[in-house]
PDB file of all heavy atoms in Angstrom:
ATOM      1  N   ASP A 843      11.675 -12.133 -22.730  1.00 97.00           N
ATOM      2  CA  ASP A 843      11.479 -10.781 -21.966  1.00 97.00           C
ATOM      3  C   ASP A 843      12.967 -10.190 -21.894  1.00 97.00           C
ATOM      4  O   ASP A 843      13.757 -10.692 -21.184  1.00 97.00           O
ATOM      5  CB  ASP A 843      10.958 -11.060 -20.425  1.00 97.00           C
ATOM      6  CG  ASP A 843      11.037  -9.836 -19.603  1.00 97.00           C
ATOM      7  OD1 ASP A 843      11.199  -8.754 -20.122  1.00 97.00           O
ATOM      8  OD2 ASP A 843      10.885 -10.012 -18.350  1.00 97.00           O
ATOM      9  N   VAL A 844      13.119  -9.158 -22.721  1.00 98.00           N
ATOM     10  CA  VAL A 844      14.423  -8.597 -22.817  1.00 98.00           C
ATOM     11  C   VAL A 844      14.365  -7.159 -22.418  1.00 98.00           C
ATOM     12  O   VAL A 844      13.274  -6.547 -22.440  1.00 98.00           O
ATOM     13  CB  VAL A 844      15.042  -8.679 -24.158  1.00 98.00           C
ATOM     14  CG1 VAL A 844      15.235 -10.255 -24.589  1.00 98.00           C
ATOM     15  CG2 VAL A 844      14.248  -7.872 -25.239  1.00 98.00           C
ATOM     16  N   PRO A 845      15.483  -6.521 -21.969  1.00 98.00           N
ATOM     17  CA  PRO A 845      15.507  -5.125 -21.486  1.00 98.00           C
ATOM     18  C   PRO A 845      15.187  -4.038 -22.662  1.00 98.00           C
ATOM     19  O   PRO A 845      14.507  -3.087 -22.340  1.00 98.00           O
ATOM     20  CB  PRO A 845      16.772  -4.934 -20.861  1.00 98.00           C
ATOM     21  CG  PRO A 845      17.672  -6.013 -21.438  1.00 98.00           C
ATOM     22  CD  PRO A 845      16.863  -7.232 -21.724  1.00 98.00           C
ATOM     23  N   ARG A 846      15.634  -4.315 -23.845  1.00 98.00           N
ATOM     24  CA  ARG A 846      15.426  -3.319 -24.846  1.00 98.00           C
ATOM     25  C   ARG A 846      15.608  -3.969 -26.195  1.00 98.00           C
ATOM     26  O   ARG A 846      16.408  -5.055 -26.311  1.00 98.00           O
ATOM     27  CB  ARG A 846      16.269  -2.123 -24.778  1.00 98.00           C
ATOM     28  CG  ARG A 846      17.806  -2.381 -24.963  1.00 98.00           C
ATOM     29  CD  ARG A 846      18.799  -1.353 -24.961  1.00 98.00           C
ATOM     30  NE  ARG A 846      18.436   0.036 -24.689  1.00 98.00           N
ATOM     31  CZ  ARG A 846      19.046   0.832 -23.909  1.00 98.00           C
ATOM     32  NH1 ARG A 846      20.140   0.352 -23.232  1.00 98.00           N
ATOM     33  NH2 ARG A 846      18.655   2.080 -23.603  1.00 98.00           N
ATOM     34  N   VAL A 847      15.098  -3.414 -27.246  1.00 98.00           N
ATOM     35  CA  VAL A 847      15.523  -3.872 -28.689  1.00 98.00           C
ATOM     36  C   VAL A 847      15.783  -2.353 -29.409  1.00 98.00           C
ATOM     37  O   VAL A 847      14.773  -1.553 -29.502  1.00 98.00           O
ATOM     38  CB  VAL A 847      14.442  -4.585 -29.411  1.00 98.00           C
ATOM     39  CG1 VAL A 847      14.864  -4.818 -30.926  1.00 98.00           C
ATOM     40  CG2 VAL A 847      14.217  -5.928 -28.748  1.00 98.00           C
ATOM     41  N   GLY A 848      16.923  -2.276 -29.934  1.00 98.00           N
ATOM     42  CA  GLY A 848      17.111  -0.885 -30.590  1.00 98.00           C
ATOM     43  C   GLY A 848      18.597  -0.868 -31.061  1.00 98.00           C
ATOM     44  O   GLY A 848      19.228  -1.821 -31.155  1.00 98.00           O
ATOM     45  N   SER A 849      18.852   0.455 -31.348  1.00 98.00           N
ATOM     46  CA  SER A 849      20.246   0.757 -31.973  1.00 98.00           C
ATOM     47  C   SER A 849      21.037   1.415 -30.946  1.00 98.00           C
ATOM     48  O   SER A 849      20.622   2.387 -30.219  1.00 98.00           O
ATOM     49  CB  SER A 849      20.097   1.471 -33.183  1.00 98.00           C
ATOM     50  OG  SER A 849      19.168   1.086 -34.109  1.00 98.00           O
ATOM     51  N   VAL A 850      22.375   1.256 -31.009  1.00 98.00           N
ATOM     52  CA  VAL A 850      23.317   1.922 -30.133  1.00 98.00           C
ATOM     53  C   VAL A 850      24.457   2.395 -31.040  1.00 98.00           C
ATOM     54  O   VAL A 850      25.070   1.603 -31.954  1.00 98.00           O
ATOM     55  CB  VAL A 850      23.823   1.243 -28.883  1.00 98.00           C
ATOM     56  CG1 VAL A 850      24.465  -0.041 -29.313  1.00 98.00           C
ATOM     57  CG2 VAL A 850      24.650   2.141 -28.014  1.00 98.00           C
ATOM     58  N   PHE A 851      24.822   3.696 -30.970  1.00 98.00           N
ATOM     59  CA  PHE A 851      26.108   4.135 -31.577  1.00 98.00           C
ATOM     60  C   PHE A 851      26.721   5.217 -30.707  1.00 98.00           C
ATOM     61  O   PHE A 851      26.228   5.633 -29.725  1.00 98.00           O
ATOM     62  CB  PHE A 851      25.777   4.783 -32.907  1.00 98.00           C
ATOM     63  CG  PHE A 851      24.768   5.939 -32.965  1.00 98.00           C
ATOM     64  CD1 PHE A 851      25.324   7.224 -32.799  1.00 98.00           C
ATOM     65  CD2 PHE A 851      23.468   5.758 -33.179  1.00 98.00           C
ATOM     66  CE1 PHE A 851      24.361   8.296 -32.875  1.00 98.00           C
ATOM     67  CE2 PHE A 851      22.524   6.819 -33.171  1.00 98.00           C
ATOM     68  CZ  PHE A 851      23.018   8.127 -33.074  1.00 98.00           C
ATOM     69  N   GLU A 852      28.053   5.570 -31.149  1.00 98.00           N
ATOM     70  CA  GLU A 852      28.795   6.469 -30.364  1.00 98.00           C
ATOM     71  C   GLU A 852      29.245   7.604 -31.289  1.00 98.00           C
ATOM     72  O   GLU A 852      29.561   7.391 -32.469  1.00 98.00           O
ATOM     73  CB  GLU A 852      29.969   5.829 -29.644  1.00 98.00           C
ATOM     74  CG  GLU A 852      29.575   4.839 -28.629  1.00 98.00           C
ATOM     75  CD  GLU A 852      30.687   4.086 -27.897  1.00 98.00           C
ATOM     76  OE1 GLU A 852      31.789   4.651 -27.900  1.00 98.00           O
ATOM     77  OE2 GLU A 852      30.479   2.980 -27.483  1.00 98.00           O
ATOM     78  N   THR A 853      29.367   8.867 -30.641  1.00 98.00           N
ATOM     79  CA  THR A 853      29.669   9.982 -31.492  1.00 98.00           C
ATOM     80  C   THR A 853      31.118  10.437 -31.209  1.00 98.00           C
ATOM     81  O   THR A 853      31.728  10.188 -30.206  1.00 98.00           O
ATOM     82  CB  THR A 853      28.746  11.123 -31.233  1.00 98.00           C
ATOM     83  OG1 THR A 853      29.036  11.750 -29.909  1.00 98.00           O
ATOM     84  CG2 THR A 853      27.286  10.670 -31.238  1.00 98.00           C
ATOM     85  N   VAL A 854      31.605  11.368 -32.012  1.00 98.00           N
ATOM     86  CA  VAL A 854      32.849  12.029 -31.820  1.00 98.00           C
ATOM     87  C   VAL A 854      32.775  12.970 -30.684  1.00 98.00           C
ATOM     88  O   VAL A 854      31.623  13.328 -30.230  1.00 98.00           O
ATOM     89  CB  VAL A 854      33.314  12.836 -33.082  1.00 98.00           C
ATOM     90  CG1 VAL A 854      33.443  11.983 -34.274  1.00 98.00           C
ATOM     91  CG2 VAL A 854      32.220  14.002 -33.305  1.00 98.00           C
ATOM     92  N   PRO A 855      33.849  13.385 -30.003  1.00 98.00           N
ATOM     93  CA  PRO A 855      33.889  14.405 -28.896  1.00 98.00           C
ATOM     94  C   PRO A 855      33.312  15.648 -29.389  1.00 98.00           C
ATOM     95  O   PRO A 855      33.269  15.996 -30.592  1.00 98.00           O
ATOM     96  CB  PRO A 855      35.238  14.432 -28.489  1.00 98.00           C
ATOM     97  CG  PRO A 855      36.002  13.219 -28.944  1.00 98.00           C
ATOM     98  CD  PRO A 855      35.290  12.790 -30.230  1.00 98.00           C
TER      99      PRO A 855
END
Side-chain angles (χ1 to χ4, degrees):
D843 172 15
V844 300
R846 68 173 6 132
V847 176
S849 312
V850 60
F851 61 86
E852 297 180 23
T853 73
V854 297

